[in-house]
Amino acid sequence: MKPPIYPLNGELSVSRRSFLAGSALFAAAAMVPIRLRGAVVRQPKFSAYPFSLGVASGDPLPDGFVLWTRLAPKPLETGGGMTDPLVEVSWQVAEDEGMKRVVARGVATADASWGHSVHVEVDGLKADRWYWYQFKAGSEVSAVARSRTTPAVDAMVDRLKFAVASCQKYQIGYYTAFDHMAREDIDLVVHLGDYIYEKDEQKGRGLKNVRDVELTEIFTIDDYRARYALYKSDAALQSAHAAAPWIVTWDDHEVSNDYADAIQEDPDKSTVEEFLQRRAAAYQAYYEHMPLRRAQLPAGPDLLLYRRLGYGGLVNFNVLDTRQYRTDQPAGEKLQPAGPGLMDPRGTIMGDQQRRWLFDGLDASRAKWNVLAQQVMVARVDLKAGPEQGFAVDKWAGYEFERRRLLRHLQEHKTINPVVLTGDIHSNWANELAPDPAQPQLGAVATEFVGTSITSNGDGEDRPAYSDSLLAENPEVKFYNSERGYLTCEVTASQWKTEYKTVPYVSRPGAPLNTRATYVVESGRAKLERV
């Protein structure tokens, strides 16, 4: 299925139309059978260990999951240190960590056109159980990692426990949170974007690099591949990937800060066509480095990322893309007071097709909990910016008409236990979402758990000086914290429990893990209760 494309300022530009025509040819060429493009090397020789970026799994189903790796003996070099265009990679899945009871095996091809990445869609497995997997190329073998199938569709499930992460700027902190996450008793990880950062911008904010690396802004496919390789070389991140399957979506920094469709934050930086070329490179590199299915194969500057994944009859995950189809943010400053510009009915953060897909799926769902796994905060929070106040227009509050339409739909269609999971903002929030922000006393229709960053913004603090005023001015916000860390969510048919796991610092390794707050939501009540 081809991703929907939405017009730029009312019509599809000539530059994008011509770019898309070219990208279609590119995508077709990439899918030519490998026998037409050279021989596959079955016994390659590597200059160094080829599985330097680890292994991963994702998008689990009742009968299988996606397995991922990328061959890169010299990961930071152009081409990853690979000399052969096509390399055979074997894989196997077992019922035990020692890889003795093998239940599935096969051979894939690592293709230079796709960064020598490997995506294997394993099927035919048993539902609701752990498996272990491993890759081999030539005489080299990868680490053994584990993944898990989901319960059968509509199966009654006692429990699901998963972690939520986002925003992991490499140079500004150590991934201690991922070390802790890898030791959690979790069934999967949900990553909500900003897996990489495209530029080094923290110095202007008074922050410093704590890792010995200086990074410049990236634009080309080789640039993006090298940035992913740098991030994925981190041992803690590799451990978290190896511990459980991941469900991933992106935000803005996988391409460019605050971009909206084909509109970039700084329109003077490049033309629309040039930006679409950059977006195509970024989207391809994202696919190359994530455990995604063939359904997410990019076509030039388009990649169909929104999708739905179930966990038996307990949870439906509606994974959203709030970047690719949005209209431009309201003009002006990033913080704006409430006004008619934010209520423009033409403004959209999801696009028409994704919105219809979401609403139809929510209406049809009979799961006990219906999750929106997405990027930016849905709660309409009045944020302080020095002496000023206003709403962050890059969030859902900048698209207030659509924000209210979403919440009204949840209310009027009686969506079963809607829960929103959010990243992006580098802080922890627990919010109750009311359809009418002027009348919060009428009650909420959904709850929102916003997870902080893994490292972005550097060392945080538990309660900044402005915390009390922020909570007082925003009654739908029940909790706020600006440390680093992640969420764990434990779900049963009768209750949802979220724990805010934080680390006191990321500027040096070894931070301990704290449970800063715990909130529960009882089934049938969109109300946060602190434990």
Side-chain angles (χ1 to χ4, degrees):
M1 178 180 178
K2 193 175 186 302
I5 299 169
Y6 292 93
L8 306 177
N9 301 321
E11 65 179 72
L12 185 63
S13 68
V14 173
S15 61
R16 181 160 190 182
R17 198 180 302 120
S18 61
F19 185 96
L20 291 173
S23 69
L25 294 175
F26 169 79
M31 299 307 290
V32 171
I34 58 177
R35 64 178 178 274
L36 300 181
R37 294 188 286 119
V40 178
V41 176
R42 290 180 167 80
Q43 291 298 323
K45 303 295 184 183
F46 300 108
S47 59
Y49 184 59
F51 298 105
S52 61
L53 306 183
V55 299
S57 69
D59 275 20
L61 296 175
D63 69 339
F65 32 71
V66 180
L67 301 182
W68 172 92
T69 193
R70 178 188 166 203
L71 302 181
K74 297 181 179 179
L76 301 185
E77 292 185 3
T78 299
M82 294 291 293
T83 56
D84 299 311
L86 300 168
V87 175
E88 182 178 280
V89 180
S90 61
W91 56 271
Q92 59 183 8
V93 176
E95 294 180 322
D96 65 303
E97 189 173 4
M99 303 299 294
K100 302 297 185 185
R101 300 192 301 277
V102 175
V103 294
R105 55 164 50 95
V107 174
T109 300
D111 187 334
S113 300
W114 295 93
H116 288 102
S117 61
V118 176
H119 297 75
V120 178
E121 296 183 22
V122 182
D123 57 16
L125 304 179
K126 296 178 181 178
D128 196 18
R129 63 183 59 198
W130 287 103
Y131 289 93
W132 285 260
Y133 62 93
Q134 188 175 37
F135 293 93
K136 181 179 180 182
S139 60
E140 301 283 0
V141 295
S142 74
V144 174
R146 70 175 190 168
S147 192
R148 186 181 178 90
T149 54
T150 60
V153 177
D154 298 329
M156 297 303 295
V157 181
D158 293 334
R159 169 189 175 273
L160 165 65
K161 186 175 181 181
F162 63 95
V164 180
S166 66
C167 305
Q168 53 200 52
K169 183 172 284 189
Y170 179 87
Q171 64 271 33
I172 202 170
Y174 292 94
Y175 290 168
T176 312
F178 279 133
D179 263 331
H180 292 293
M181 184 188 295
R183 294 191 285 271
E184 294 271 6
D185 176 24
I186 54 175
D187 299 301
L188 58 89
V189 175
V190 177
H191 196 284
L192 299 176
D194 292 346
Y195 193 98
I196 64 164
Y197 281 74
E198 84 290 9
K199 59 184 177 181
D200 189 350
E201 59 186 355
Q202 71 270 9
K203 290 182 179 179
R205 301 176 181 178
L207 300 172
K208 65 178 182 179
N209 291 349
V210 301
R211 303 213 210 196
D212 186 20
V213 60
E214 293 292 332
L215 301 177
T216 58
E217 190 166 3
I218 54 178
F219 297 93
T220 69
I221 182 66
D222 288 331
D223 292 342
Y224 282 99
R225 284 171 175 164
R227 189 61 50 88
Y228 278 101
L230 175 66
Y231 279 53
K232 290 178 105 37
S233 66
D234 186 273
L237 178 56
Q238 290 188 18
S239 294
H241 271 297
W246 284 38
I247 298 173
V248 300
T249 189
W250 55 35
D251 195 14
D252 52 343
H253 289 288
E254 286 86 352
V255 180
S256 180
N257 184 51
D258 286 354
Y259 83 97
D261 190 6
I263 303 165
Q264 53 195 314
E265 182 183 32
D266 181 1
D268 296 327
K269 183 177 294 185
S270 60
T271 66
V272 169
E273 185 172 21
E274 289 169 338
F275 181 70
L276 286 171
Q277 291 171 343
R278 179 184 185 181
R279 198 176 93 171
Y283 281 12
Q284 179 174 337
Y286 183 82
Y287 177 83
E288 289 175 352
H289 292 85
M290 295 295 129
L292 292 169
R293 296 181 179 274
R294 286 186 294 272
Q296 279 68 58
L297 191 74
D302 298 289
L303 187 158
L304 183 61
L305 192 59
Y306 66 82
R307 60 208 189 279
R308 186 171 292 112
L309 295 159
Y311 198 86
L314 185 62
V315 179
N316 265 354
F317 290 96
N318 300 276
V319 184
L320 303 188
D321 175 358
T322 64
R323 284 292 163 191
Q324 190 171 184
Y325 315 114
R326 68 161 71 189
T327 54
D328 198 9
Q329 296 91 339
E333 298 297 323
K334 290 187 177 182
L335 285 174
Q336 290 191 12
L342 304 186
M343 282 296 290
D344 186 349
R346 297 169 298 178
T348 177
I349 198 169
M350 290 190 289
D352 295 337
Q353 186 166 325
Q354 181 176 197
R355 185 192 317 110
R356 288 193 295 269
W357 166 86
L358 174 63
F359 287 179
D360 289 347
L362 292 173
D363 292 350
S365 175
R366 295 296 174 264
K368 298 295 185 182
W369 300 88
N370 287 281
V371 175
L372 277 63
Q374 56 92 56
Q375 296 76 13
V376 294
M377 192 149 66
V378 175
R380 186 174 179 263
V381 175
D382 199 353
L383 297 167
K384 281 187 175 296
E388 301 175 359
Q389 292 183 332
F391 300 100
V393 297
D394 191 57
K395 321 303 182 196
W396 280 77
Y399 303 83
E400 183 63 16
F401 184 88
E402 184 161 73
R403 193 188 82 88
R404 296 190 193 188
R405 175 161 51 183
L406 168 65
L407 296 178
R408 285 198 306 271
H409 186 93
L410 299 179
Q411 181 183 50
E412 294 169 2
H413 291 247
K414 296 180 170 53
T415 300
I416 303 169
N417 292 328
V419 175
V420 179
L421 299 176
T422 300
D424 173 67
I425 201 170
H426 309 163
S427 45
N428 286 311
W429 306 68
N431 305 321
E432 294 177 354
L433 303 177
D436 185 351
Q439 302 184 74
Q441 71 278 6
L442 296 181
V445 296
T447 50
E448 179 180 30
F449 297 104
V450 182
T452 188
S453 62
I454 295 292
T455 58
S456 301
N457 274 20
D459 291 343
E461 54 184 320
D462 179 17
R463 289 183 57 82
Y466 53 83
S467 298
D468 290 340
S469 60
L470 187 150
L471 293 169
E473 293 164 7
N474 297 280
E476 62 187 297
V477 178
K478 306 304 178 184
F479 172 70
Y480 173 76
N481 163 275
S482 67
E483 293 176 294
R484 308 284 77 83
Y486 58 93
L487 308 179
T488 59
C489 302
E490 186 170 1
V491 188
T492 67
S494 60
Q495 186 185 85
W496 179 295
K497 181 174 74 172
T498 294
E499 294 184 328
Y500 291 83
K501 302 293 185 72
T502 66
V503 292
Y505 51 85
V506 294
S507 56
R508 60 189 189 277
L513 186 69
N514 301 312
T515 300
R516 188 58 68 189
T518 301
Y519 281 86
V520 299
V521 179
E522 302 296 338
S523 178
R525 297 182 67 219
K527 185 173 179 58
L528 294 162
E529 300 286 353
R530 186 159 183 172
V531 178

